[in-house]
Amino acid sequence: MTPQKNVVEPLVSAIKSSAQKNAASFHFPGHNRGNAAPASMTGLIGRTAFVHDLTVLHELGNLFCPYGPILEAQVEAAKLFGSSHTWFLVGGTTCGIQAAIMSTCSPGQVLILPRNSHISAISALVLSGAVPKYIIPHFLDHWDVAAAITPSQVSKAIQELEMEGKKAAAVFITSPTYHGLCSDLTTISELCHSHKIPLIVDEAHGAHFGFHSKLPKSALHQGADLIVQSTHKVLCSLTQSSMLHMSGNIVDKDKVSRCLRTLQTTSPSFLLLASLDAARAQISENPDSVFNRAIALADEAKRVLKQIPGISVLESSSFPASPAVDPLRLTVGFWNLGLSGSEADEILYKDYEVICELIGNRSITYVLNLGTCREHVHRLVLGIKRLAATHGSISKPEKKMVNNVHAPFDDITMSMIPRDAFFASKRKVAIRESIGEVAGELICPYPPGVPVLIPGEVVTEKIVDYLLHVTSKGAEVNGASDSSLSSILVCGKL
Ligand SMILES: Cc1ncc(COP(=O)(O)O)c(C=O)c1O
């Protein structure tokens, strides 16, 4: 890619000129171009943010029948990322994943997906009525981290369906994973296309891919059909703003647009949309070198950390099935010090004010990005050095070794599809009494953030033991009707 001269920002420019007008404003939002903005909020973010918080105006365009600046901004994004069409999203990658699955899978059709997919893919099963065919990921035991899905796992799932006389309506793959592990999407997309099956990629963590020789190739450049990226996670747009890209012609573009209209607010924030335009322009200015500094800092940090006794650094050699690993994800293992991820995090947070992205059972994941500075990387490295010096000398690793605790995926029986279980009547039972019942809600402890029970699956003793074990170790169960997990919702009337 060559640097683009005269990078344009159609939506940012249109919002700027619209806000500069002396308009007699009789439209939403109610703060009236900042005139009635609450003082506590202007104290936080300034009045300027309100002045530019505009709505669907003729000069800005409309997200749901794009014309003018919104259309131009989406076209610029499509050019940079290499899609045939790009949709800007204000409901995060969550709504992009839901739209991608709803537009490819009708009720009763089969979706092949990893069992540890993000919760948005599970809610898409409820919305679409699709029947899941799960791929169970391999786990790398001493990291307790799920590996990326391989082409042979996808091929096996397609073949198993064929043996039952069925065909998948779509394949859904998460690549990279939260830990930055990538799948071989080139082979997976060829495999899917040879069966005329569209490939959807959850690239929430990979919007930066392809913009440096050391970064993995993007899903778009490996033949995927629908790709969803959290621009806000790894590039620099505002939280909640994401992009959905399309390539090829297997997927019905109008159907995707219809699904997005169904799922998203009718009052999209133009600040969020403009931030997508700006984040794209920021990369367009220097697509080949914009990540130089961040990658150099990540390389340096890994080089030093690897030399510290008792500290492990996740590298591609740990996951031979992954053709690439995101160099900007830094996952550090503490098990040789006898520390769990949360024990190490507590020390690094309290003593060094280092805030991580993800806490695992045996590791912590840090994200480096365009805003990462050398001083912060030094602080992280220093904190880990001191932590290793203290804990390496006072504890015998074997004594405090943390057990592998990934979910018992070999124990899954789906008694109802997620949609039917979601809408079925429910009752609350004590956790031990739920054994043998059909789960009525999604139970996903953090860490490790993998759904252990999906609505419609039979609760087993092994699953209950696992849930009680991880919660006793401090895992939180967000979103369950009883976050303490003394009870859960199961399907069926009293
Ligand atoms: C793998 C994965 N997919 C999808 C999402 C949803 O992304 P968003 O927060 O942009 O809705 C997340 C969020 O953490 C994620 O980790």
Side-chain angles (χ1 to χ4, degrees), residues 262-341:
T262 308
L263 292 163
Q264 296 203 93
T265 170
T266 52
S267 311
S269 157
F270 275 66
L271 287 179
L272 295 187
L273 297 172
S275 78
L276 286 169
D277 191 26
R280 186 272 315 153
Q282 185 181 30
I283 304 299
S284 299
E285 271 169 26
N286 237 327
D288 293 325
S289 55
V290 61
F291 282 100
N292 282 357
R293 193 177 65 120
I295 288 176
L297 284 173
D299 285 349
E300 193 182 317
K302 285 178 198 173
R303 209 172 38 246
V304 180
L305 289 173
K306 274 190 321 197
Q307 288 162 8
I308 304 175
I311 294 299
S312 310
V313 176
L314 193 151
E315 289 179 295
S316 49
S317 54
S318 325
F319 289 87
S322 272
V325 178
D326 180 0
L328 294 179
R329 286 289 144 109
L330 172 57
T331 299
V332 184
F334 297 92
W335 63 86
N336 284 325
L337 299 176
L339 293 175
S340 68

Side-chain angles (χ1 to χ4, degrees), residues 1 12 24 67 78 92 94 166 190 203 235 253 259 283 333 338 364 477 482:
M1 269 168 269
V12 173
Y67 62 87
T94 296
K166 295 179 190 159
E190 280 167 11
E203 205 175 43
L235 301 182
K253 180 174 147 223
C259 293
I283 304 299
I364 305 180
V477 187
D482 173 0

Side-chain angles (χ1 to χ4, degrees), residues 91-95 97 118 120 174 176 178 202 204-205 230 232-233 242:
T93 291
T94 296
C95 84
I97 287 175
H118 184 256
S120 52
T174 306
Y178 219 131
D202 173 354
H205 296 271
S230 291
H232 68 95
K233 285 194 202 296
S242 285

Side-chain angles (χ1 to χ4, degrees), residues 106-397:
S106 301
Q109 290 189 323
V110 182
L111 174 71
I112 295 175
L113 75 167
R115 178 58 176 69
N116 60 336
S117 296
H118 184 256
I119 185 167
S120 52
I122 310 304
S123 58
L125 292 173
V126 172
L127 290 165
S128 65
V131 179
K133 163 83 179 162
Y134 293 119
I135 297 177
I136 309 297
H138 294 303
F139 277 80
L140 197 77
D141 278 342
H142 57 277
W143 282 99
D144 203 27
V145 160
I149 298 300
T150 62
S152 58
Q153 287 175 303
V154 177
S155 172
K156 186 165 167 267
I158 294 175
Q159 277 170 20
E160 282 173 3
L161 283 175
E162 274 176 357
M163 273 149 55
E164 292 170 33
K166 295 179 190 159
K167 184 186 161 198
V171 169
F172 175 90
I173 299 287
T174 306
S175 179
T177 64
Y178 219 131
H179 296 93
L181 306 172
C182 301
S183 291
D184 174 0
L185 293 176
T186 304
T187 308
I188 294 176
S189 63
E190 280 167 11
L191 179 68
C192 289
H193 294 161
S194 69
H195 289 83
K196 300 202 169 17
I197 302 171
L199 172 64
I200 304 167
V201 177
D202 173 354
E203 205 175 43
H205 296 271
H208 56 314
F209 281 9
F211 295 116
H212 190 281
S213 58
K214 283 194 173 174
L215 287 169
K217 264 167 98 177
S218 70
L220 264 166
H221 288 103
Q222 293 185 74
D225 301 284
L226 285 173
I227 301 94
V228 201
Q229 298 176 331
S230 291
T231 321
H232 68 95
K233 285 194 202 296
V234 277
L235 301 182
C236 306
S237 65
L238 293 173
T239 297
Q240 250 179 259
S241 61
S242 285
M243 293 190 200
L244 170 57
H245 305 290
M246 179 178 157
S247 175
N249 51 13
I250 306 190
V251 176
D252 179 348
K253 180 174 147 223
D254 293 340
K255 207 166 169 191
V256 179
S257 297
R258 266 201 313 279
C259 293
L260 285 172
R261 280 199 296 275
T262 308
L263 292 163
Q264 296 203 93
T265 170
T266 52
S267 311
S269 157
F270 275 66
L271 287 179
L272 295 187
L273 297 172
S275 78
L276 286 169
D277 191 26
R280 186 272 315 153
Q282 185 181 30
I283 304 299
S284 299
E285 271 169 26
N286 237 327
D288 293 325
S289 55
V290 61
F291 282 100
N292 282 357
R293 193 177 65 120
I295 288 176
L297 284 173
D299 285 349
E300 193 182 317
K302 285 178 198 173
R303 209 172 38 246
V304 180
L305 289 173
K306 274 190 321 197
Q307 288 162 8
I308 304 175
I311 294 299
S312 310
V313 176
L314 193 151
E315 289 179 295
S316 49
S317 54
S318 325
F319 289 87
S322 272
V325 178
D326 180 0
L328 294 179
R329 286 289 144 109
L330 172 57
T331 299
V332 184
F334 297 92
W335 63 86
N336 284 325
L337 299 176
L339 293 175
S340 68
S342 51
E343 286 165 336
D345 179 65
E346 206 178 311
I347 298 165
L348 291 166
Y349 175 62
K350 273 203 195 136
D351 297 354
Y352 300 92
E353 276 191 67
V354 169
I355 303 182
C356 69
E357 171 55 36
L358 179 70
I359 303 172
N361 294 314
R362 319 184 103 212
S363 64
I364 305 180
T365 301
Y366 301 91
V367 174
L368 285 90
N369 52 37
L370 289 177
T372 305
C373 67
R374 185 170 288 277
E375 193 270 310
H376 288 173
V377 175
H378 280 170
R379 202 187 316 165
L380 168 66
V381 171
L382 180 74
I384 294 179
K385 259 187 195 164
R386 290 198 182 146
L387 179 138
T390 318
H391 289 267
S393 58
I394 60 167
S395 63
K396 285 265 174 287

